[in-house]
Amino acid sequence: MKLIRYNFLIDCISALKPKKIVEIGLAMGHRSYGMISIAKKFNKEIEFVGYDVFDTKDSNWHRMVGNAKKVSSKIEIQNLLLKVSNNFKLIEGMTQDTLWNKSVVGDLVFIDGDHRVESIKLDYESVKKSKLVVFDDYYPEGKFANFTTEKYGCNQIIDKFPSNEVIITPKTIQFPDIRMAIWSKDIDLINVLKKQIM
């Protein structure tokens, strides 16, 4: 059993060997740093695009959108990522302004920004042509703490996909009631990942 669910991103990167990574919701940038570092083992040049409000919103807003993580400024994350890459773009603002109604295609997309259902849906709509999309915050019990799937998490989106296009990651030691959902139209890729993950 893995300690944290984010370790499943390593399996995704190992199977996919992405050249372009898109992340929605960077928090402090640790996941971004890790994904770029691992992807560079397979491809020398990695393109990374990150969408976040960074430190421009207050704690009340973060509570409203279901974000319990600490957040860093754009400059702090930029300085962190410069340790592993020069080929990245950080886009500041609400994804309703910076991403929605656009088409952004990555090899690997990680959605972990605004945790409200409608926001996750519209984030996904903008990246759905990507090879592999990983959603955080799938609640197998239908809720986590005060967050129910009526308003939060990716369950409503994931549960409409054909089952052979989706993997729900196993429980982890830390926060076993929150999982990741991995989606791709590439069934061969999903089957490879199932062997690695399950």
Side-chain angles (χ1 to χ4, degrees), residues 81-111:
L81 298 188
L82 280 169
K83 295 175 183 177
V84 286
S85 176
N86 292 314
N87 192 18
F88 63 85
K89 188 188 240 182
L90 300 178
I91 300 170
E92 184 178 289
M94 300 274 292
T95 52
Q96 66 189 43
D97 302 317
T98 60
L99 180 65
W100 297 358
N101 299 316
K102 296 178 184 175
S103 180
V104 174
V105 180
D107 297 317
L108 171 66
V109 177
F110 180 39
I111 300 178

Side-chain angles (χ1 to χ4, degrees), residues 108-162:
L108 171 66
V109 177
F110 180 39
I111 300 178
D112 188 23
D114 186 329
H115 291 45
R116 294 174 294 182
V117 173
E118 286 308 310
S119 295
I120 297 170
K121 265 186 201 170
L122 291 163
D123 286 346
Y124 165 73
E125 282 299 315
S126 296
V127 300
K128 66 183 179 182
K129 293 181 181 174
S130 299
K131 181 87 169 169
L132 187 75
V133 180
V134 180
F135 298 77
D136 199 11
D137 301 290
Y138 184 91
Y139 308 134
E141 302 301 321
K143 66 175 186 173
F144 174 73
N146 295 321
F147 303 125
T148 66
T149 55
E150 291 171 7
K151 293 184 179 180
Y152 294 94
C154 65
N155 294 52
Q156 287 189 41
I157 300 107
I158 296 301
D159 293 347
K160 289 179 181 170
F161 291 144

Side-chain angles (χ1 to χ4, degrees), residues 9 23 27 163 198:
L9 287 169
E23 184 175 17
S163 60
M198 303 309 280

Side-chain angles (χ1 to χ4, degrees), residues 24-82:
I24 301 167
L26 281 68
M28 297 177 72
H30 299 307
R31 216 79 51 227
S32 319
Y33 179 95
M35 288 192 291
I36 294 168
S37 299
I38 294 159
K40 285 184 86 171
K41 293 178 181 178
F42 303 103
N43 294 294
K44 191 176 177 182
E45 284 300 314
I46 303 298
E47 180 184 357
F48 177 87
V49 183
Y51 294 84
D52 205 296
V53 295
F54 302 104
D55 62 348
T56 64
K57 300 290 183 184
D58 65 18
S59 58
N60 290 330
W61 183 88
H62 282 285
R63 269 195 299 278
M64 178 184 71
V65 302
N67 178 26
K69 299 180 190 122
K70 286 185 176 181
V71 295
S72 294
S73 69
K74 185 177 178 182
I75 292 291
E76 287 171 322
I77 293 176
Q78 180 179 294
N79 290 338
L80 175 66
L81 298 188
L82 280 169

